[in-house]
Amino acid sequence: MSVARIAARLAALADENRAAFVAYVMAGDPDPASAAAILKGLPGAGADIIELGLPFSDPVADGPSIQRAGIRALEQGVTVAGVLDRVREFRETDTATPLILMGYLNPLLSYGLAAFAAHAAEAGVDGVIVVDCPPEEAGTLGDALDRQGVALIRLATPTTDADRLKIVAQGTRGFVYYVSVSGVTGGKQAQAQDIAPAIARVRAASGLPVVVGFGIRTPAQAAAVARVADGAVVGTALVDVLADALASGRDPVAGVLATVASLAQGVRAARLVAA
Amino acid sequence: MSLVATAKPPALLNDYQAFPDADGRFGDYGGRYVPETLMPLVLDLDRAYAEAKVDPAFQAKLAGYLATYVGRPSPLYLAERLTAHFGGAKIYLKREELNHTGAHKINNCMGQILLARRMDKTRIIAETGAGQHGVATATVCALFGLPCIVYMGAVDVERQAPNVLRMNLLGAEVRPVTSGASTLKDAMNEALRDWVSNVEDTYYLIGSAAGPHPYPVMVRDFQAVIGLETREQILHAEGRLPDVLVACVGGGSNAIGLFHPFLNDEGVRIIGVEAAGDGMDTDRHAAALNGGRPGVLHGNKTYLLQTADGQITEAHSISAGLDYPGIGPEHAWLHDVGRAQYLTATDDEALEAFQLCARLEGIVPALESAHALARLPQIAVEVGKGGVVVLNLSGRGDKDLATVAARLGLPV
């Protein structure tokens, strides 16, 4: 499946004239049982694509919320190998929802890039986003993932000019992840009217769907992005719901899935409202 | 300065000075591992630096400030009492602690602030460990009237209080960082997050010969003034090149600055000294080369202290400036190819050397530099009488008095 699973899902949603709702959660956060329940529950709650965060000790592109989520995960002993096991378990009940791992390069280097690509494909991972691995440094990883049919999904940002966009578009598979703001996760808020031209630009350069992330928190914001993009990612807002539930002794699973449902509702209704 | 060009052997099998390549690679190390948001910025910086480097007006301006503001050249001093004490090779100290702001850090800051101005950047950010780079950055920002934000681990804010005060007096804003272990690594994470969030106007003034290309080569070039001066000075004093160069290595900017102009001189042995903290048989040290393995952090591939799963671990050293789990990529490469040798010194050894240097030479060294001093007994004896050793005294120890007093149980 892999790249094909991403393409199939995005094509099916395009046929329905709606964007994908992409839900980001940190693997293993806040504990193994809750994390497994969240992962299993995401598709039913309305996540069209799942992004699973791989925790890293030094997440330079992440704001405080996802930093803390990573620390919680690492305190639970989450490893790359462990995350791949969780993906295997997820695939026992869901073979249709694309699942993408998002993290930083060093844990993958430590695991071994060729082994990681092979094991990720076998576990049922469809794509990988490596935040600190720009196209210029992605040769070995990209080749390894290509051989396994796993998409190396590249990031385009507001600072990516036309010349660079060609480089970014060249090796990307599945979709292009457009980082809508120059900032860390959970920081500035994206404005749909500002990103529409950029999405058109990235779509034209890559010939691929464009999924937008960073700076989307509410169903209304997700809907606004879903009107102009092929997908909208929400991460920090979900992680915040989880953290708040933990802090107040409520069930993090129910909280996250309810939020996913309302965000998904926003995305699903977006173009209906617009039309 | 012309000495290097003329003394460079023409047909060496390995030209150690030919690195990095256009992609910032020293062998397998270096590179540009940054989020896409920053890629256009580091590529832009690469272009701007390449232009400035060959612009005589830029170099003349830098040389002028180094001479009249920093106080260069720094002396090369024959430490006769240390020499007599060890009973071996002659010990020369390259007196970088006499620079304005008390360390070698200002050499690089002066170069980069002129570059930032040339690039029309209006806001300067920096990370600091010991506070020496933060002070140097705050100083050049004051000199040119630029706003300056310094990220500093909260633990370091605590143990380097005098430098925090200095930065504040110089008009800089010191932002304590409480993530991770609240030391240099975390300060660098936070500075990178700031840069990602302020791409238009902000210049990130990195203090070590590490980070994404072009920082390692740029910082090395700005610090190479140390080695270039040393070369002229030792030829003047001894009529020959030294047998050994010694410097402490955290990120490694003072060391690479001393080493680089001598890399192709086969007869010059090059020794870096890493911080062994509580000891290399413990997990509380900061010796990336001696106790780590290659990986990617903060924009470059290099040796890192990390777990089997590739999570970066915290470094430990009495010296805040060496308390970093990585090392500059050029050192990683010099280590692998065997051109330089990297030893270690523990907290206790550094403390002992700190006191010895103060008593015998009347020079209170930075705890960072004391790590290099700590290996002198062995090196001086091994090289022997008639030999010549040059040690980079990279900074002064005033900032460390509280740390030293606490460790020795002395009242401040």
Side-chain angles (χ1 to χ4, degrees):
Chain A
M1 290 297 278
S2 299
V3 180
R5 185 154 36 207
I6 298 170
R9 174 56 55 100
L10 287 170
L13 295 176
D15 285 348
E16 293 176 33
N17 187 30
R18 72 171 180 92
F21 173 60
V22 183
Y24 170 101
V25 291
M26 178 62 76
D29 180 30
D31 61 76
S34 304
I38 290 171
L39 189 56
K40 196 172 176 185
L42 283 175
D48 300 304
I49 296 175
I50 295 169
E51 251 181 57
L52 198 54
L54 292 171
F56 181 49
S57 52
D58 295 83
V60 296
D62 286 306
S65 295
I66 294 182
Q67 288 175 41
R68 284 193 289 267
I71 291 167
R72 286 194 297 270
L74 290 174
E75 283 170 352
Q76 294 287 325
V78 172
T79 62
V80 173
V83 173
L84 294 179
D85 285 340
R86 302 294 86 75
V87 174
R88 267 183 214 104
E89 289 158 16
F90 173 77
R91 282 284 174 242
E92 288 168 9
T93 57
D94 187 315
T95 56
T97 306
L99 190 146
I100 290 154
L101 299 181
M102 183 167 184
Y104 295 79
L105 186 56
N106 201 55
L108 307 186
L109 280 177
S110 221
Y111 192 96
L113 296 182
F116 168 73
H119 298 168
E122 169 266 317
V125 171
D126 305 307
V128 178
I129 299 171
V130 185
V131 178
D132 57 349
C133 191
E136 285 84 347
E137 305 291 356
T140 313
L141 176 64
D143 291 348
L145 292 172
D146 264 355
R147 277 196 290 277
Q148 303 293 339
V150 176
L152 178 59
I153 294 160
R154 296 226 167 118
L155 305 166
T157 72
T159 59
T160 311
D161 64 16
D163 286 343
R164 252 202 93 60
L165 200 48
K166 287 180 202 145
I167 299 172
V168 169
Q170 223 163 31
T172 195
R173 304 272 185 277
F175 60 83
V176 179
Y177 189 123
Y178 183 69
V179 176
S180 63
V181 294
S182 291
V184 295
T185 53
K188 304 169 192 168
Q189 313 272 302
Q191 300 299 325
Q193 66 271 22
D194 296 342
I195 60 177
I199 291 164
R201 212 158 47 89
V202 176
R203 211 182 262 140
S206 64
L208 287 171
V210 178
V211 169
V212 175
F214 285 46
I216 307 171
R217 287 195 71 88
T218 65
Q221 287 170 336
V225 169
R227 278 179 208 122
V228 293
D230 302 296
V233 189
V234 177
T236 297
L238 297 179
V239 168
D240 284 345
V241 167
L242 185 152
D244 289 347
L246 280 183
S248 57
R250 284 178 281 118
D251 175 18
V253 180
V256 169
L257 295 181
T259 309
V260 166
S262 74
L263 287 160
Q265 196 50 45
V267 169
R268 279 159 203 256
R271 295 188 198 167
L272 300 177
V273 175
Chain B
M1 298 257 170
S2 61
L3 270 168
V4 167
T6 52
K8 189 170 172 177
L12 266 182
L13 197 58
N14 293 310
D15 182 354
Y16 294 103
Q17 291 177 330
F19 294 83
D21 67 15
D23 296 321
R25 291 275 170 188
F26 301 88
D28 195 33
Y29 303 106
R32 298 181 182 100
Y33 296 89
V34 293
E36 175 60 27
T37 304
L38 292 181
M39 268 310 278
L41 281 70
V42 298
L43 291 170
D44 191 37
L45 179 62
D46 193 14
R47 279 187 295 271
Y49 174 59
E51 286 168 19
K53 189 176 174 175
V54 296
D55 178 356
F58 177 86
Q59 294 296 346
K61 191 185 270 187
L62 175 57
Y65 279 109
L66 289 179
T68 61
Y69 188 77
V70 174
R72 302 207 70 88
S74 69
L76 184 69
Y77 160 72
L78 174 59
E80 293 191 58
R81 295 196 70 208
L82 277 176
T83 300
H85 180 78
F86 297 133
K90 277 190 192 171
I91 307 296
Y92 281 89
L93 303 178
K94 179 61 174 165
R95 303 286 306 275
E96 289 298 301
E97 101 282 9
L98 291 178
N99 293 334
H100 180 43
T101 72
H104 71 291
K105 292 292 186 186
I106 190 103
N107 302 329
N108 165 52
C109 287
M110 192 56 81
Q112 287 200 55
I113 201 76
L114 294 177
L115 183 61
R117 277 163 55 85
R118 195 182 158 101
M119 295 175 74
D120 295 322
K121 299 293 182 183
T122 55
R123 176 177 178 267
I124 307 296
I125 59 171
E127 84 295 335
T128 197
Q132 293 303 95
H133 173 58
V135 166
T137 304
T139 298
V140 295
C141 286
L143 179 63
F144 291 107
L146 289 168
C148 176
I149 290 154
V150 179
Y151 290 94
M152 188 169 186
V155 167
D156 292 338
V157 168
E158 192 79 17
R159 63 179 164 175
Q160 304 287 336
N163 273 344
V164 175
L165 177 61
R166 288 169 80 192
M167 285 184 273
N168 287 330
L169 288 170
L170 291 161
E173 177 190 347
V174 178
R175 292 191 184 164
V177 176
T178 53
S179 60
S182 306
T183 58
L184 180 53
K185 165 176 91 94
D186 312 292
M188 199 153 178
N189 288 340
E190 213 51 41
L192 282 165
R193 290 183 187 118
D194 181 311
W195 202 22
V196 168
S197 308
N198 297 283
V199 294
E200 297 298 332
D201 59 348
T202 297
Y203 184 95
Y204 181 16
L205 208 164
I206 293 184
S208 198
H213 181 65
Y215 284 102
V217 61
M218 179 169 67
V219 176
R220 176 252 272 167
D221 289 350
F222 288 138
Q223 292 294 0
V225 66
I226 302 171
L228 292 168
E229 285 176 6
T230 298
R231 199 179 174 97
E232 289 194 20
Q233 290 165 325
I234 200 72
L235 285 173
H236 181 74
E238 292 287 335
R240 68 176 182 94
L241 295 180
D243 297 294
V244 179
L245 302 171
V246 196
C248 64
V249 198
S253 70
N254 90 83
I256 204 68
L258 175 65
F259 297 168
H260 190 262
F262 295 91
L263 288 180
N264 282 343
D265 297 297
E266 277 178 293
V268 179
R269 196 173 144 200
I270 292 175
I271 299 175
V273 183
E274 295 191 296
D278 290 351
M280 292 307 295
D281 53 346
T282 74
D283 58 4
R284 290 176 54 83
H285 60 77
L289 291 175
N290 283 284
R293 60 189 174 84
V296 167
L297 178 72
H298 293 156
N300 60 170
K301 188 173 202 181
T302 188
Y303 277 77
L304 301 168
L305 302 181
Q306 55 183 314
T307 67
D309 298 319
Q311 305 296 339
I312 309 304
T313 53
E314 298 298 340
H316 292 278
S317 171
I318 190 172
S319 143
L322 303 181
D323 206 347
Y324 181 69
I327 184 164
E330 192 163 10
H331 288 293
W333 172 69
L334 291 171
H335 168 75
D336 276 15
V337 300
R339 177 61 187 98
Q341 183 186 2
Y342 294 86
L343 308 176
T344 63
T346 63
D347 287 355
D348 289 341
E349 290 172 321
L351 270 171
E352 199 176 310
F354 176 96
Q355 297 171 80
L356 186 73
C357 185
R359 281 200 313 271
L360 289 186
E361 296 291 349
I363 298 170
V364 177
L367 277 173
E368 289 77 18
S369 320
H371 285 73
L373 288 163
R375 287 281 68 81
L376 273 184
Q378 296 89 324
I379 293 167
V381 169
E382 202 180 310
V383 175
K385 280 192 191 299
V388 174
V389 173
V390 174
L391 181 142
N392 198 11
L393 201 74
S394 56
R396 55 191 281 170
D398 307 51
K399 69 186 175 60
D400 295 314
L401 295 182
T403 303
V404 171
R407 280 290 285 253
L408 299 179
L410 302 171
V412 178

